[in-house]
Amino acid sequence: QVQLVESGGGSVQAGGSLRLSCVASRYATCMAWFRQRLGEERERVAFIWSGTGLKGYDDSLKGRFTISQDYDKNTLYLQMNNLQPEDTARYYCAARWDSPCATDAYDYWGPGTQVTVSS
């Protein structure tokens, strides 16, 4: 079992930044951030393969979002810069025991944190 708790969401204006955090009870092989816009399906934002440090991003977000880990604190981060109204969504932290990490089939999910970007 992996418990995940996200924090760091909030309301910002377009062009602003936020850093999301996810405290994990333990790390799994794959750790990821997903988001779900209102009325849409959940989509994978970024993942990190804990064993190798390999990272992957949704192509449309690469360059603005950065995923990272602090192993000592069992914490996963998502740094989001130059936020736009279309980034408004609920953001979820997720964990998966086995690779590949570039999949939507994750085993454990946090409750999510809301990000709202106004124009």
Side-chain angles (χ1 to χ4, degrees):
Q1 284 282 348
V2 180
Q3 282 79 45
L4 304 166
V5 180
E6 305 94 336
S7 63
S11 297
V12 296
Q13 291 191 326
S17 297
L18 283 174
R19 187 176 78 157
L20 305 183
S21 300
C22 170
V23 177
S25 59
R26 57 182 297 182
Y27 270 131
T29 300
C30 302
M31 303 293 294
W33 288 98
F34 287 74
R35 71 182 183 183
Q36 187 168 20
R37 299 187 185 98
L38 193 63
E40 298 185 16
E41 292 187 356
R42 190 158 49 191
E43 61 179 350
R44 190 176 68 248
V45 171
F47 69 83
I48 187 165
W49 188 347
S50 297
T52 68
L54 178 70
K55 301 175 184 181
Y57 296 91
D58 180 272
D59 286 342
S60 67
L61 301 173
K62 200 171 183 178
R64 294 195 298 124
F65 288 17
T66 304
I67 190 171
S68 62
Q69 285 179 309
D70 184 329
Y71 289 99
D72 292 338
K73 296 180 179 179
N74 270 8
T75 303
L76 183 73
Y77 299 101
L78 184 68
Q79 178 67 42
M80 306 185 295
N81 297 327
N82 191 22
L83 284 162
Q84 300 301 313
E86 55 266 32
D87 296 317
T88 294
R90 191 161 187 86
Y91 286 72
Y92 297 89
C93 176
R96 174 179 165 88
W97 287 124
D98 299 316
S99 61
C101 301
T103 175
D104 293 341
Y106 274 66
D107 302 308
Y108 302 99
W109 297 84
T113 185
Q114 180 68 33
V115 171
T116 302
V117 185
S118 58
S119 57

